[in-house]
Amino acid sequence: MSDSTLTRNYVKQMREMIYVYELVKQKKHGGFKFASEVFEFYRIPKQNFFKLYHRFKQAGTDGSLLPLKRGRKFGT
């Protein structure tokens, strides 16, 4: 499995999570009633989700859903 496959799957899951979250906020989702249930189901902290959600809404690209680099590699 290549790196692009992992990236594609991660972006796909995040887009699905954003879609479900927006349905819950509009009160149109049949399975979830609260946003906290969505975060618990997908096992993601709400702070991490909102960081990616706001970045995606601002930029509007799939690349904004990927985690950013946090610094240089250890020992370099």
Side-chain angles (χ1 to χ4, degrees):
M1 198 157 51
S2 70
D3 191 42
S4 63
T5 303
L6 294 174
T7 302
R8 188 172 56 245
N9 289 341
Y10 183 79
V11 168
K12 181 180 174 184
Q13 183 181 15
M14 289 303 298
R15 287 182 74 80
E16 177 185 339
M17 199 180 324
I18 288 171
Y19 176 72
V20 169
Y21 170 75
E22 289 178 344
L23 283 179
V24 169
K25 294 309 280 183
Q26 296 171 4
K27 301 186 186 316
K28 294 183 180 179
H29 195 275
F32 299 119
K33 189 173 182 181
F34 302 108
S36 60
E37 296 171 348
V38 176
F39 307 138
E40 186 177 320
F41 177 78
Y42 285 104
R43 296 181 181 170
I44 185 170
K46 67 180 180 179
Q47 293 87 353
N48 292 357
F49 172 78
F50 284 121
K51 179 174 62 175
L52 292 172
Y53 176 74
H54 292 298
R55 191 185 316 151
F56 176 72
K57 286 298 176 182
Q58 196 172 36
T61 62
D62 286 343
S64 62
L65 292 174
L66 298 172
L68 299 175
K69 290 175 69 174
R70 297 185 61 191
R72 64 188 190 133
K73 292 183 178 180
F74 180 73
T76 57

